[in-house]
């Protein structure tokens, strides 16, 4: 992609066109040497209620839940409609922990955002996470397992510093909750989710950054990963009237960076895709047909015992009523 040549100056409120002001210290939009998010399950608790066996589902969608339905409609149903409890997952928890450390890293002043300081943040953030979710303590059978797991998280943080210098950045927002409606009437849908980091250049251009603790997809298979970023870009465009200049994913699993500069046409295509996914979700709810979609990802699914495609027994299908997009 090359350099965009943005100068390091303070970002004013006027320059951001409604974006919360921050400062840009250094080459804010470096493409990086190559080219993880918050769990949004809680977003779906607010509008969900049981009345005479009917589940009320809000007309809302996030990139994660859209991805669930694309991966497997039954997965979406069990996770979002039935809200079947899932056991803690060591890999997912590691991603949550690393994200928390990278968010807190920018609380430190420029010059102190070093690998050593990131490691110092690791254990306090783990203790905080554990206090919020005590069940995570059951992830490890022995202290040696937990120590090895924390060492893996430390390695991911070390990789982060090979991809960009946080001392040259002052993000405008971190863990930013974004939301915006799309569609009209019965097709109206609320798009929402959490952006890991939003960078703003002096002239108001936006860069959406997402941390991934896994590995980058091989060449030719980037579209599924970029869908999440285009989803966020679409929400920001609708909410703020600005098409983000750059979408950037930092893959800490193998030290690669994937960047993409979206156009309005890209985001309109993403909007059509999201509308199609939501129409399919509505149809599945109305027909009570949440069909499993077997794939190699089934081996990591928490719901195998409830999946007929895996020899399990599917629970009775609830009546689902789609609510309004609030």
């Amino acid at each position: 992609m090359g350099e965009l040549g943005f100068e390091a100056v303070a970002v004013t409120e006027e320059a951001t066109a409604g974006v919360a002001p921050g400062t840009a210290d250094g080459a804010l939009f470096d493409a990086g040497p190559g080219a993880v998010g918050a769990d949004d399950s809680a977003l779906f608790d607010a509008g969900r209620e049981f009345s005479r066996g009917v589940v009320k589902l809000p007309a809302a969608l996030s990139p994660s839940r859209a991805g669930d339905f694309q991966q497997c409609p039954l997965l979406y149903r069990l996770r979002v409609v039935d809200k079947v409890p899932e056991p803690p997952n060591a890999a997912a928890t590691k991603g949550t922990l690393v994200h928390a450390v990278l968010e807190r890293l920018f609380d430190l002043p420029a010059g102190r955002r070093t690998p050593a300081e990131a490691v110092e943040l690791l254990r306090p953030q783990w203790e905080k996470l554990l206090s919020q979710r005590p069940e995570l303590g059951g992830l490890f059978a022995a202290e040696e397992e937990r120590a090895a797991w924390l060492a893996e998280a430390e390695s991911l943080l070390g990789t982060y510093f090979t991809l960009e210098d946080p001392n040259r950045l002052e993000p405008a927002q971190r863990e930013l909750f974004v939301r915006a409606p799309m569609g009209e009437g019965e097709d109206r849908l609320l798009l929402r989710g959490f952006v890991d980091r939003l960078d703003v250049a002096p002239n108001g251009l936006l860069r959406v950054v997402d941390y991934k603790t896994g590995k980058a997809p091989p060449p030719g298979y980037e579209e599924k990963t970029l869908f999440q970023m285009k989803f966020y870009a679409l929400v920001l465009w609708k909410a703020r009237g600005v098409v983000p200049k750059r979408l950037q994913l930092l893959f800490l699993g193998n030290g690669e960076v994937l960047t993409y500069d979206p156009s309005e046409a890209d985001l309109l295509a993403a909007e059509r895709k999201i509308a199609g996914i939501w129409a399919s979700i509505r149809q599945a709810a109305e027909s009570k047909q949440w069909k499993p979609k077997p794939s190699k990802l089934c081996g990591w699914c928490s719901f195998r015992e409830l999946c007929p495609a895996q020899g399990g027994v599917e629970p009775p299908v609830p009546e689902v009523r789609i609510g309004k997009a609030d």
Side-chain angles (χ1 to χ4, degrees):
M1 293 280 184
E3 298 288 344
L4 296 183
F6 285 78
E7 193 175 355
V9 297
V11 178
T12 65
E13 189 170 357
E14 292 78 13
T16 62
V19 180
T23 58
D25 190 12
L28 186 60
F29 289 94
D30 288 347
V36 249
D39 178 12
D40 60 0
S41 58
L43 298 177
F44 295 86
D45 291 336
R48 182 176 183 273
E49 61 184 27
F50 291 92
S51 177
R52 298 186 179 88
V54 176
V55 177
K56 183 179 178 181
L57 191 68
L61 201 60
S62 72
S64 298
R65 300 295 77 85
D68 285 346
F69 188 82
Q70 289 180 288
Q71 179 181 326
C72 175
L74 181 58
L75 168 65
Y76 175 93
R77 177 211 143 180
L78 294 173
R79 179 170 283 162
V80 178
V81 178
D82 298 74
K83 300 197 81 66
V84 176
E86 298 181 68
N89 178 283
T93 303
K94 187 193 308 171
T96 301
L97 176 60
V98 170
H99 275 75
V101 171
L102 292 176
E103 182 186 2
R104 295 277 69 84
L105 183 68
F106 286 98
D107 289 339
L108 299 173
R112 286 188 54 197
R113 300 166 192 163
T114 64
E117 290 283 2
V119 171
E120 286 296 317
L121 289 169
L122 190 60
R123 289 187 180 275
Q125 289 301 312
W126 165 240
E127 294 299 332
K128 180 179 179 180
L129 188 59
L130 193 59
S131 68
Q132 296 169 341
R133 298 179 58 192
E135 70 274 14
L136 296 179
L139 285 171
F140 313 106
E143 174 58 32
E144 291 77 9
E145 288 185 16
R146 188 180 72 162
W149 180 82
L150 286 171
E152 292 171 358
E154 182 177 331
S155 176
L156 292 171
L157 290 171
T159 300
Y160 165 74
F161 286 88
T162 69
L163 302 180
E164 64 179 11
D165 181 1
N167 294 293
R168 302 176 65 204
L169 303 169
E170 291 296 343
Q173 297 283 338
R174 290 169 277 152
E175 286 298 316
L176 173 65
F177 177 57
V178 294
R179 54 182 284 162
M182 63 171 271
E184 301 293 338
E186 292 186 356
D187 295 327
R188 185 177 171 86
L189 174 67
L190 183 65
L191 308 179
R192 56 190 182 184
F194 286 93
V195 172
D196 286 347
R197 198 179 87 208
L198 184 66
D199 296 336
V200 182
N203 57 2
L205 295 183
L206 307 181
R207 177 172 71 175
V208 184
V209 180
D210 195 70
Y211 308 120
K212 297 294 185 186
T213 50
K215 296 181 179 181
Y221 293 88
E222 301 94 346
E223 187 56 38
K224 182 178 179 181
T225 302
L226 283 174
F227 170 70
Q228 173 194 8
M229 302 300 284
K230 291 178 182 179
F231 189 112
Y232 291 141
L234 175 64
V235 177
L236 288 166
W237 182 28
K238 287 181 172 294
R240 308 190 178 197
V242 178
V243 173
K245 173 60 181 176
R246 174 152 295 175
L247 310 178
Q248 182 162 300
L249 297 107
L250 306 182
F251 290 93
L252 309 184
N254 60 350
E256 294 187 16
V257 179
L258 174 63
T259 63
Y260 186 81
D261 293 351
S263 65
E264 290 189 8
D266 288 327
L267 302 190
L268 290 173
E271 184 173 26
R272 291 191 295 271
K273 182 174 182 177
I274 294 167
I277 294 171
W278 183 243
S280 296
I281 291 173
R282 293 179 65 99
Q283 183 179 19
E286 292 168 1
S287 65
K288 295 186 177 182
Q289 296 292 318
W290 304 92
K291 296 183 179 180
K293 187 178 178 181
S295 73
K296 59 184 179 182
L297 297 175
C298 293
W300 287 273
C301 183
S302 302
F303 304 122
R304 291 190 296 276
E305 293 182 357
L306 302 177
C307 178
Q310 301 298 317
V313 178
E314 182 179 351
V317 182
E319 190 79 28
V320 178
R321 184 170 72 246
I322 305 294
K324 294 183 179 180
D326 298 325

